[in-house]
Amino acid sequence: MTAQKGVHGEEVAKHNSREKGVWIVVHGKVYDVTDFLDEHPGGAEIILRYAGMDATEEYEPIHPPDAIIDNLDPSKHLGPLIPSTLPPAPVSASAPPPTSVAIPQKTNSPLAGGEEEYVKPPIDEILSLHDFEAVARRTMAKRGWNYYSSGDDDEITMRENHNAYHRVWFRPRILRNVGSVDFSSSILGHKTSMPVYITATALGKLGHPEGEVTLTRAAGKHNIIQMIPTLASCSFDEMVDAAIPNQIQFLQLYVNSDRSRTKKIIKHAAERGVKALFITVDAPQLGRREKDMRTKFEGNASSQQTQGGDNFKRDQGAARAISSFIDPTLNWKDLAELKEAAGEMKIVLKGVQSWEDAVMAAEAGCDGVVLSNHGGRQLDFAPSPLTILPQVVTILKSRGFMTPKAPFEVFIDGGVRRATDVLKAIALGATAVGIGRPMIYAMSTYGEQGVSRAFEILKDEFEMNMRLIGAPTLSDVVPNMVDVSALNSASSGITMYEENYERMLPVGVKAK
Ligand code: 173
């Protein structure tokens, strides 16, 4: 068994338990992970499930490519697998998305049982960001869809994020010469083609085999800023390498309990030209996303997995399993140290949910805040960012921030699907909005081309809507262009595109 000859699959297959030793294959290479089992941030259980097998398909979306090499002592790298000597791994829930699936139709279907074949539409039939979501729901592998689409608890905040936009109406102006309209903008001093950025979302390879670099490339083409996620499937360097010269990237940062690791990440980000750090502050513990958690009972779950009630991590879905490094003790006193480590990079707190914390962030010397509830994935009944935006901006301004002398910027994310949503946020004082799920649905359904199309759709919508509200530039999109008198009244309860939301299902009831 030398590195040249490689390791025979039969040998790998024998190492399939703690007692016999645990070997796994990732990307054609064999690793002895026996001693690593209890150190694995995602728990031993998931590795044991692939003991003696090829774990690439499970490994790929959840880890950057070099994670195993970085974390395992070189003596545990056993060499390449001799090709075709290992039986294939069991079919996993993360199998590639089907191009067409049978879905129940509400119409009078000519097919037995009311089921019709769903055929993925050609990309030019996609007319709105909602459309990507509808296609994603029908064509993505269940595991990826469940992970991306889930929200916390009863998913009330997740729905409210978009519903809140329905309670703001325009006060359009006329005869304002809208022959040409300009929606280019600037975020933290960096030019952008629209007041929109791609916000961080984890585990891109659950949606597309190339992962987040597809977002980077499309962002580069359209002059859009991408916030690189801490927990991407691609490595940080792959995403920076995929950028074109002068393309602006920010980095989302989860602060590690081991601060030396966080500082290493910050230093590397600065060296690679990242312009701002968005420190996530709304996730000292990850929310319970029940739809994601139920995924484990589907697909390749063995009887051993589904019987035991003993393992905490196994029950928590993809995200919780890999989030144990996030430091729940992070507090305001830590900011000075992070700010110092950031050097020239700007610091923005992502996940602010009250005006008090926005003021504290400004007083602590941050460059901005993102009003965000993490896409409704954390605290259910956290307010929608749009609802708190007017108050946050009014109070920040009354305290002397958001002025040329103290240029503090306020961003919002969650529930944004239309340029009209963005324009409402701009009118109420936001600098720009983050878009998350629609981008990864576009990526999951049509790859880089899909993400590009999403930007084209938004650009078309901006042009038309700015003409129709009578705003030739974004500086004309001012507070009195919107009527917010209904903003703080109870939600209308109407959910547009209800189809795109899945009903919360009781235990044992499978989605059709
Ligand atoms: O929302 C998420 O799923 C998320 O932010 C996350 C956090 C830690 C690990 C993976 C994803």
Side-chain angles (χ1 to χ4, degrees):
M1 191 195 64
T2 65
Q4 290 95 321
K5 274 177 69 194
V7 186
H8 197 283
E10 271 176 24
E11 200 55 36
V12 175
K14 279 186 208 156
H15 293 85
N16 62 357
S17 67
R18 270 190 199 267
E19 298 70 41
K20 295 184 221 154
V22 177
W23 291 10
I24 56 166
V25 176
V26 174
H27 294 140
K29 301 219 172 72
V30 184
Y31 298 94
D32 177 353
V33 291
T34 321
D35 297 336
F36 179 68
L37 286 174
D38 295 318
E39 286 168 38
H40 183 231
E45 166 100 11
I46 184 68
I47 305 186
L48 284 168
R49 205 192 299 177
Y50 287 85
M53 294 184 219
D54 190 330
T56 309
E57 206 187 300
E58 176 69 26
Y59 172 94
E60 184 121 67
I62 306 202
H63 309 77
D66 37 12
I68 198 163
I69 299 163
D70 290 350
N71 285 300
L72 212 59
D73 190 84
S75 66
K76 308 290 179 190
H77 299 205
L78 304 180
L81 173 76
I82 301 173
S84 317
T85 56
L86 189 67
V91 180
S92 139
S94 58
T99 50
S100 71
V101 290
I103 55 143
Q105 298 284 310
K106 284 184 182 152
T107 53
N108 292 334
S109 163
L111 295 180
E115 303 233 329
E116 252 172 30
E117 181 90 345
Y118 180 81
V119 178
K120 183 158 127 180
I123 192 165
D124 50 6
E125 285 185 26
I126 299 289
L127 301 179
S128 76
L129 267 48
H130 292 288
D131 286 350
F132 288 112
E133 196 157 349
V135 178
R137 182 176 167 193
R138 290 166 174 81
T139 61
M140 277 182 73
K142 204 72 191 144
R143 181 184 183 196
W145 168 257
N146 284 354
Y147 172 61
Y148 290 168
S149 67
S150 56
D152 192 72
D153 283 2
D154 294 313
E155 302 189 340
I156 307 295
T157 286
M158 184 173 83
R159 286 160 170 74
E160 165 67 1
N161 278 350
H162 182 68
N163 285 342
Y165 284 97
H166 295 195
R167 302 197 299 272
V168 175
W169 294 75
F170 287 113
R171 301 184 65 247
R173 304 300 303 271
I174 55 166
L175 297 176
R176 286 195 157 184
N177 187 358
V178 285
S180 71
V181 292
D182 179 6
F183 44 86
S184 65
S185 187
S186 139
I187 299 178
L188 298 170
H190 302 285
K191 290 213 167 348
T192 165
S193 60
M194 289 182 267
V196 159
Y197 60 88
I198 305 180
T199 194
T201 50
L203 308 185
K205 286 188 186 169
L206 286 181
H208 190 277
E210 284 180 79
E212 297 83 358
V213 292
T214 56
L215 302 174
T216 311
R217 292 192 203 112
K221 267 188 205 143
H222 288 270
N223 190 14
I224 295 288
I225 297 172
Q226 176 191 26
M227 189 194 301
I228 294 176
T230 302
L231 289 155
S233 304
C234 295
S235 71
F236 169 81
D237 284 313
E238 283 175 324
M239 285 176 277
V240 177
D241 291 341
I244 56 175
N246 302 319
Q247 181 174 337
I248 303 297
Q249 289 172 307
F250 299 151
L251 175 66
Q252 177 226 13
L253 193 70
Y254 275 113
V255 177
N256 198 309
S257 303
D258 177 353
R259 289 299 149 79
S260 67
R261 287 201 178 211
T262 300
K263 286 194 183 146
K264 219 170 122 190
I265 293 171
I266 295 177
K267 186 163 175 278
H268 186 57
E271 282 162 6
R272 300 264 9 226
V274 162
K275 300 293 186 233
L277 297 176
F278 283 63
I279 303 172
T280 299
V281 291
D282 58 9
Q285 174 178 345
L286 233 52
R288 295 174 84 258
R289 296 108 188 224
E290 293 175 12
K291 206 196 317 177
D292 184 32
M293 290 160 75
R294 290 202 204 288
T295 305
K296 72 184 191 309
F297 295 112
E298 295 166 3
N300 65 343
S302 71
S303 56
Q304 198 199 347
Q305 286 163 249
T306 47
Q307 274 165 16
D310 55 332
N311 187 300
F312 172 76
K313 284 195 173 115
R314 187 199 63 210
D315 282 345
Q316 307 296 313
R320 267 195 159 186
I322 59 168
S323 61
S324 52
F325 73 91
I326 300 171
D327 187 356
T329 74
L330 185 71
N331 64 77
W332 290 102
K333 289 196 202 110
D334 297 315
L335 277 185
E337 198 186 349
L338 292 169
K339 219 170 123 46
E340 193 188 318
E344 300 277 286
M345 288 186 289
K346 303 230 160 135
I347 296 263
V348 176
L349 299 189
K350 173 177 176 287
V352 170
Q353 300 165 75
S354 66
W355 67 262
E356 289 89 340
D357 286 339
V359 168
M360 282 176 82
E363 285 173 350
C366 294
D367 300 286
V369 287
V370 186
L371 305 181
S372 169
N373 52 44
H374 212 110
R377 294 163 74 78
Q378 287 297 103
L379 176 68
D380 209 7
F381 292 95
S384 91
L386 189 73
T387 324
I388 60 171
L389 177 66
Q391 187 180 36
V392 168
V393 170
T394 305
I395 295 177
L396 279 170
K397 285 190 171 164
S398 76
R399 309 258 171 129
F401 298 105
M402 301 183 78
T403 59
K405 259 176 130 185
F408 189 80
E409 297 188 11
V410 177
F411 307 97
I412 74 173
D413 69 25
V416 175
R417 297 292 183 274
R418 295 276 187 189
T420 48
D421 298 340
V422 184
L423 290 167
K424 291 171 188 177
I426 301 294
L428 295 172
T431 296
V433 308
I435 303 193
R437 284 194 187 90
M439 294 296 146
I440 49 174
Y441 292 143
M443 170 193 81
S444 303
T445 47
Y446 300 92
E448 182 189 330
Q449 224 197 337
V451 185
S452 270
R453 181 147 182 100
F455 293 138
E456 280 154 17
I457 289 169
L458 284 171
K459 284 179 181 170
D460 280 356
E461 290 187 354
F462 268 115
E463 184 170 329
M464 178 189 75
N465 288 305
M466 284 177 66
R467 285 210 171 96
L468 297 181
I469 62 173
T473 72
L474 289 177
S475 53
D476 300 305
V477 184
V478 291
N480 75 12
M481 288 222 116
V482 287
D483 173 359
V484 291
S485 54
L487 182 56
N488 291 306
S489 55
S491 167
S492 63
I494 297 169
T495 302
M496 292 286 286
Y497 295 91
E498 188 97 48
E499 263 289 290
N500 286 348
Y501 294 99
E502 279 184 311
R503 287 169 55 208
M504 301 294 284
L505 292 171
V507 64
V509 177
K510 292 264 181 284
K512 289 240 177 62

